[in-house]
Amino acid sequence: MRVYGVTGWKNTGKTTLTERLVAELVGQGLRISTVKHAHHATEIDHPGRDSHRHRQAGAGQVIVASPVRWALMTELRGAEEPALSDLLAHLDPCDLVLIEGYKTAPHPKIETHRKAAGRDLLALHNPTIRAIAADGPVDSALPRFDLDDVAGIARFIRAEVGL
C-alpha cells in the first residue's frame, strides 16, 4: 500500500492541503483514501469537520483516529489507540493513502508550515519529512512548495511513491 503523509503543527494548513490533494489526485483518476489523526476525542462526520471534508473532496474511505476512538466507526471504550499499520489494514485497496498527522510515524511526509504559527520546522529533527509546503521562505535544503501549489505537491508525491 502506498502511503504519504501531510504533517505539521496545529493551524498550518494540514487539512486544507490534504483536502485539496485528495481532489487533485482523484481528478487525475486515482483512488485515494485518507487517515486523519486527532489528539482529542472527536465526533465523526459533521459538516465542516475534517473527515467530512475528506469525503466531500472524493476520498473513497476515511479513517479518523484519536486516543479515545477511531472510525470506520469503532468505539475503543478505553482500549489503547490502534497503531497506524492496524488502521491501514482496514482500508480497501486504493492507489494512495494520504495520512494527515502522525508526525513521528515512519512513512514519508510533506510538512505544512506557516510563519504566523511561530513554530520551528519539524523537518529539522524528522528525517521522514521529504518536502515543505510553506507560506514563505524556510531555512531548509528540502524541496519547498508554496502551500497553494497543489498540482506541484501532487506531482512530487506521485514521484515519491512511484505513481
Side-chain angles (χ1 to χ4, degrees):
M1 179 176 289
R2 292 177 172 108
V3 300
Y4 210 89
V6 177
T7 196
W9 296 110
K10 184 178 179 179
N11 296 322
T12 58
K14 296 182 302 294
T15 298
T16 298
L17 180 58
T18 301
E19 174 186 13
R20 294 176 73 193
L21 284 168
V22 169
E24 175 76 18
L25 294 164
V26 167
Q28 295 174 15
L30 297 176
R31 291 171 303 150
I32 305 297
S33 292
T34 64
V35 176
K36 160 66 179 155
H37 188 260
H39 291 283
H40 50 79
T42 187
E43 293 301 325
I44 308 302
D45 271 339
H46 300 283
R49 294 285 198 152
D50 298 341
S51 58
H52 187 266
R53 290 171 62 186
H54 290 190
R55 284 189 319 99
Q56 293 298 322
Q61 286 186 305
V62 177
I63 292 177
V64 178
S66 78
V68 176
R69 67 183 62 90
W70 71 276
L72 195 63
M73 197 62 73
T74 300
E75 291 292 324
L76 294 178
R77 304 202 189 283
E80 189 173 316
E81 179 181 2
L84 177 57
S85 59
D86 294 335
L87 297 174
L88 291 171
H90 289 277
L91 292 175
D92 290 340
C94 64
D95 297 307
L96 176 65
V97 180
L98 290 174
I99 300 171
E100 182 182 334
Y102 288 97
K103 291 177 184 80
T104 61
H107 60 274
K109 303 167 192 69
I110 187 164
E111 177 179 353
T112 56
H113 183 78
R114 289 189 186 278
K115 186 174 182 170
R119 303 294 301 257
D120 288 337
L121 287 172
L122 293 168
L124 297 174
H125 306 289
N126 186 335
T128 65
I129 295 173
R130 307 280 176 82
I132 299 165
D135 62 354
V138 294
D139 188 16
S140 174
L142 292 174
R144 186 217 166 266
F145 296 89
D146 187 275
L147 276 167
D148 290 325
D149 185 8
V150 177
I153 295 167
R155 277 192 304 276
F156 178 81
I157 291 171
R158 286 187 72 159
E160 285 269 293
V161 300
L163 278 175

